[in-house]
Amino acid sequence: MKYFISSILTLFLFSCNTTKKNNSLTYFGGQIINPRTNFVLLLKDDKVVDTLPLKKNNRFIAEYKNFSEGLYTFKHANEFQYIYIEPSDSILVRLNTWDFDESIVYSGRGSSKNEFLINLFLQNEKEERKMFKYFNLNETDFQFKIDSLANKRQAIYDEFSKNRENITTGFQKLTNTAIHFPLYRLKELYPLYNKRAHRLRNFPKVSSDFYKFRKDVNLNEANFLSFYPYRNYVINYLINLSYQQKEKDSTKSDITINLLNAIVENVKLEEFKNALLKSIVIDDFLKSQSTCTINNETLDIFLENCTDETYLTQVKNLVNDSKFVVNKKPLEDFKIVSYNNKNLNINKVIKNNNAVIYFWSAEHMSLEYLTNRIHYLEKKHPKILFVGINMQPDSRAFTSDPDLNLLDLKNQFKLTKDSYAHNYLTSSYPRTIMVNNKGIVTNGFTYLDSQKFSSELKKLEKN
């Protein structure tokens, strides 16, 4: 505790003293305990504003002139959290990567509003998990639960704000979204989950008052596109519309197609629309069948309405990648490099084994998650060989990341720059290939989180 107070005060005094000299300067800094990389990113609307290197004792600090007020995120490795910054703020954050969100402590000018936001974030998470058990209630009783939470959260904000005269309109609007939109989201989920809870044939009927809050909701709020309570609400609103459409019209039975059309009709912000379209198409691709494929009508709607060339290329590449490795055919050999820089071929590594070859990239997957998932799978399926392949030839993850070293490194490899496997990894999206002990592909494209993964492993074990 003494060390913590000392380190924070040292950094804070530096920033405060400097700020007195020039009130137009804004400071953001802090300290990362148990860092996973040597830098922190500051982002606005998912775009990098600054890269802040970790220096002595894993501290970082930056000053900015003419800083724009608004919601930002700071990111370290694969974890991130929101931060609201105003001009002349001097905000310090201290956190431990072992318990990222729960360990965050703010100090300095502008810290109180961010302490409020992080506490509200943690409270939302806790309360939302509890709310799922109430979806079996009737509309009136469910609304009572929602109103109780809204009143409780509003009272906390009122207490926070009553002695503060300098709360900006932007922060008030953000706080209103943080308080109410997670509850609005639960109301959008209510018909579907109530139907499931009672095993109903049709959606329960709800009164028009149940959704009266919608008239005050802007589905195209540019300032909050990166704010998860806002994004999650919009997505669940569109999902609810899609299910309701299916309920009313038997010809509209494909939820993914309904959802894509709902996005096109309701989301006018180009960047947001494109991101949602891509997300839905990829999600549908991954969850389609045991071996991932894409529905042609789904693909057509995406190609006709997405205007982001990067997303278009990524989805097209994903479709082509999925056709490259064919089930019930021998796996085409490809070059790999072991953790101790020995050149090998994949077919030699997996020879006479039922094998799962999982391609991964730190860009798309947390190494902490990867190691936990593989440990679980290896324990549950000890007769299957799990082979990890880093798709990035220049990656140093073997030696630099402690999480990967928790795995058996003799089963960890990288692709060579000229490896044949690059032909079906053009989308850069992680994929998994299953091969039986005769070298025949049993599943050419699945992924570690697939709902069908367990059943596919059981099939492989029977070879």
Side-chain angles (χ1 to χ4, degrees):
M1 181 59 71
K2 288 181 181 178
Y3 172 75
F4 162 65
I5 293 172
S6 174
S7 62
I8 286 295
L9 283 176
T10 300
L11 194 54
F12 178 53
L13 286 172
F14 164 75
S15 59
C16 283
N17 289 337
T18 310
T19 304
K20 287 178 182 177
K21 297 176 183 177
N22 186 344
N23 287 328
S24 67
L25 294 179
T26 304
Y27 289 86
F28 173 60
Q31 185 177 34
I32 306 294
I33 309 301
N34 299 310
R36 295 185 178 277
T37 66
N38 61 358
F39 62 92
V40 172
L41 296 177
L42 182 65
L43 302 96
K44 181 81 171 76
D45 299 327
D46 296 326
K47 295 181 176 64
V48 175
V49 173
D50 197 4
T51 301
L52 291 77
L54 298 187
K55 298 181 180 178
K56 186 178 180 181
N57 295 322
N58 300 318
R59 296 175 187 171
F60 62 97
I61 187 72
E63 68 173 36
Y64 306 96
K65 293 182 179 178
N66 304 316
F67 200 86
S68 297
E69 176 186 345
L71 181 68
Y72 294 78
T73 56
F74 62 88
K75 183 177 181 182
H76 179 72
N78 290 322
E79 300 271 14
F80 75 92
Q81 189 50 264
Y82 298 102
I83 184 167
Y84 197 87
I85 306 179
E86 298 171 23
S88 298
D89 275 350
S90 297
I91 300 175
L92 304 176
V93 58
R94 184 183 190 271
L95 63 88
N96 190 328
T97 62
W98 291 353
D99 198 11
F100 196 93
D101 294 326
E102 287 76 5
S103 70
I104 291 176
V105 177
Y106 293 103
S107 63
R109 185 185 295 113
S111 63
S112 61
K113 60 181 177 285
N114 287 294
E115 285 283 0
F116 174 79
L117 281 179
I118 189 66
N119 289 334
L120 184 61
F121 165 77
L122 295 172
Q123 186 173 329
N124 279 345
E125 275 195 333
K126 188 187 301 181
E127 290 175 346
E128 183 167 308
R129 285 194 293 268
K130 292 180 180 177
M131 280 297 294
F132 274 76
K133 66 184 178 184
Y134 298 122
F135 279 120
N136 64 329
L137 298 177
N138 62 40
E139 175 193 336
T140 303
D141 291 341
F142 187 78
Q143 182 66 60
F144 178 80
K145 293 286 186 184
I146 293 290
D147 290 341
S148 296
L149 287 179
N151 292 335
K152 178 182 174 183
R153 295 177 188 182
Q154 190 62 47
I156 294 171
Y157 175 72
D158 291 343
E159 180 66 26
F160 163 79
S161 62
K162 69 180 182 181
N163 296 320
R164 291 173 172 81
E165 298 179 358
N166 58 344
I167 295 179
T168 65
T169 302
F171 185 71
Q172 288 176 348
K173 192 171 182 179
L174 176 72
T175 303
N176 184 69
T177 302
I179 288 172
H180 294 288
F181 275 54
L183 302 179
Y184 294 164
R185 172 179 173 267
L186 291 174
K187 294 186 73 172
E188 298 293 352
L189 289 173
Y190 174 77
L192 179 60
Y193 279 80
N194 184 270
K195 176 184 176 182
R196 289 178 180 175
H198 294 287
R199 299 182 180 179
L200 302 175
R201 184 180 182 87
N202 299 309
F203 272 24
K205 292 184 179 180
V206 296
S207 67
S208 57
D209 283 347
F210 191 69
Y211 291 119
K212 64 182 179 181
F213 64 86
R214 286 178 178 172
K215 71 181 188 303
D216 299 318
V217 172
N218 178 7
L219 298 178
N220 296 279
E221 182 62 72
N223 291 329
F224 292 157
L225 291 186
S226 61
F227 193 39
Y228 87 92
Y230 176 81
R231 285 181 82 106
N232 280 4
Y233 169 74
V234 173
I235 291 167
N236 282 277
Y237 165 72
L238 296 170
I239 290 172
N240 191 7
L241 288 187
S242 302
Y243 275 99
Q244 297 286 359
Q245 190 173 29
K246 177 183 177 181
E247 196 85 1
K248 296 172 184 175
D249 187 346
S250 60
T251 65
K252 306 288 186 180
S253 60
D254 192 311
I255 294 298
T256 299
I257 290 172
N258 292 349
L259 185 52
L260 290 173
N261 286 326
I263 292 168
V264 173
E265 292 168 14
N266 291 278
V267 180
K268 305 308 176 187
L269 291 171
E270 204 75 0
E271 186 177 350
F272 191 27
K273 181 194 73 174
N274 289 335
L276 289 176
L277 289 172
K278 187 197 85 161
S279 175
I280 297 305
V281 166
I282 289 180
D283 189 60
D284 182 66
F285 171 83
L286 294 173
K287 293 180 178 177
S288 56
Q289 299 177 24
S290 296
T291 299
C292 300
T293 57
I294 198 160
N295 176 289
N296 286 332
E297 187 176 355
T298 297
L299 182 61
D300 289 343
I301 295 172
F302 171 78
L303 295 178
E304 289 170 10
N305 293 282
C306 180
T307 58
D308 188 296
E309 289 299 328
T310 301
Y311 293 164
L312 287 167
T313 299
Q314 186 178 20
V315 170
K316 288 176 184 176
N317 287 346
L318 192 61
V319 173
N320 291 332
D321 288 349
S322 68
K323 298 175 182 177
F324 216 99
V325 180
V326 183
N327 289 354
K328 299 181 180 179
K329 297 286 186 180
L331 177 68
E332 189 85 19
D333 209 2
F334 59 85
K335 298 175 184 177
I336 51 179
V337 180
S338 69
Y339 74 98
N340 54 1
N341 291 319
K342 184 177 179 181
N343 290 315
L344 297 165
N345 283 41
I346 189 63
N347 283 339
K348 183 176 181 180
V349 171
I350 66 171
K351 187 176 181 180
N352 299 326
N353 285 285
N354 291 322
V356 170
I357 305 167
Y358 57 95
F359 297 88
W360 63 274
S361 164
E363 180 183 351
H364 293 282
M365 186 179 295
S366 154
L367 289 181
E368 181 180 9
Y369 165 78
L370 178 67
T371 55
N372 289 336
R373 180 65 171 153
I374 297 304
H375 276 309
Y376 168 79
L377 292 171
E378 288 178 333
K379 186 175 181 180
K380 192 171 183 180
H381 303 277
K383 294 183 179 179
I384 294 178
L385 175 63
F386 289 86
V387 178
I389 299 180
N390 188 331
M391 294 187 288
Q392 300 165 300
D394 297 325
S395 173
R396 298 181 181 179
F398 286 150
T399 55
S400 62
D401 196 291
D403 280 324
L404 194 64
N405 283 284
L406 296 174
L407 293 173
D408 187 348
L409 287 180
K410 75 175 186 296
N411 294 328
Q412 293 298 318
F413 304 88
K414 290 190 295 186
L415 291 179
T416 62
K417 291 185 178 181
D418 62 344
S419 178
Y420 176 82
H422 288 298
N423 287 304
Y424 48 80
L425 299 170
T426 61
S427 70
S428 300
Y429 203 87
R431 71 182 292 173
T432 297
I433 298 173
M434 296 182 176
V435 183
N436 68 20
N437 52 26
K438 298 178 180 63
I440 304 299
V441 174
T442 63
N443 194 320
F445 200 132
T446 183
Y447 63 109
L448 294 175
D449 270 346
S450 171
Q451 294 177 352
K452 304 175 180 72
F453 199 69
S454 180
S455 60
E456 290 296 290
L457 287 172
K458 289 175 182 177
K459 291 179 190 175
L460 183 61
E461 284 177 318
K462 293 178 180 177
N463 282 284

